[in-house]
Amino acid sequence: MTLLTPVRAGVSLEALLTAKENRAARQADWLTHYHHPVISLTLVTPGAQKDSIRYRNTMGVALQACDQLLWQNHWPVLDRQVLWLPTGAEGLWCVDHAAAEIKAQCIELEQTHPLGRLWDFDVICPKNGQVGRQSLDLSTRRCLVCDEPAHGCARSRRHPMEEVVSRVETLIDGWFARD
């Protein structure tokens, strides 16, 4: 199922927090209903604008990459949902497979695909909760600008927002200009 909303300008912090709460509620509903791991995909979209043609195209590539990953590994998909929201696109899959292995493969996508740095795959296990990089002995994500740990740069606002957004746009434009 796919729900589509029109492309809009920036969104408020309140709208982002509400979207995050709604996403967590959908994830919890799926975990309760299916009793299998859930993949939740969002994009790294710095700044107030969370929905644009660039971001929609990037999400389309991410959705295709995840679908292909699941298909190649023959992992049964119990449900799939895509939401195109003003607060950013979201994808959900419920997969009948071990959460840790799903997370490891999703991290591989994030690290190897040219757009993967802009993808945020969360994997949630119905028994143990979210599977983090640390549980797989992997380092945290790196900053888009300076390659230091991303959470530190984001928290301290080390880089001007325009520079971070420009880096994201350069990654996206580079991918789509490759042909």
Side-chain angles (χ1 to χ4, degrees):
M1 170 165 77
T2 300
L3 299 177
L4 186 63
T5 59
V7 174
R8 300 190 200 288
V11 295
S12 68
L13 178 59
E14 182 180 340
L16 289 175
L17 294 174
T18 299
K20 188 174 183 176
E21 289 173 9
N22 291 341
R23 183 169 51 254
R26 276 191 299 281
Q27 293 166 354
D29 287 346
W30 280 35
L31 290 167
T32 300
H33 180 78
Y34 291 108
H35 307 287
H36 287 286
V38 169
I39 302 171
S40 180
L41 169 64
T42 56
L43 296 180
V44 175
T45 55
Q49 185 176 350
K50 304 298 181 186
D51 186 24
S52 69
I53 296 303
R54 271 188 180 111
Y55 292 153
R56 287 182 183 210
N57 290 338
T58 301
M59 183 59 135
V61 174
L63 293 166
Q64 184 179 35
C66 189
D67 286 338
Q68 185 173 19
L69 169 77
L70 298 170
W71 179 79
Q72 286 175 335
N73 284 290
H74 306 287
W75 296 339
V77 176
L78 306 176
D79 203 348
R80 179 184 187 271
Q81 181 182 51
V82 179
L83 302 171
W84 302 94
L85 304 170
T87 51
E90 300 177 13
L92 278 177
W93 293 259
C94 183
V95 182
D96 185 0
H97 194 74
E101 191 173 348
I102 295 169
K103 179 64 176 182
Q105 290 294 312
C106 287
I107 290 171
E108 181 75 14
L109 278 179
E110 290 173 348
Q111 293 178 338
T112 59
H113 193 283
L115 291 175
R117 180 56 189 87
L118 305 179
W119 304 343
D120 187 9
F121 285 102
D122 291 332
V123 176
I124 306 107
C125 174
K127 293 179 185 170
N128 302 319
Q130 188 159 337
V131 180
R133 288 171 171 261
Q134 292 79 11
S135 68
L136 300 174
D137 292 327
L138 295 170
S139 61
T140 60
R141 294 186 81 147
R142 311 311 289 178
C143 174
L144 287 160
V145 176
C146 72
D147 206 38
E148 291 296 316
H151 71 278
C153 288
R155 185 174 299 147
S156 69
R157 298 180 189 211
R158 182 173 297 158
H159 311 290
M161 185 58 63
E162 299 79 25
E163 183 179 9
V164 180
V165 170
S166 175
R167 177 68 179 128
V168 168
E169 291 175 351
T170 299
L171 281 171
I172 294 170
D173 293 347
W175 169 258
F176 287 105
R178 74 193 189 288
D179 295 330

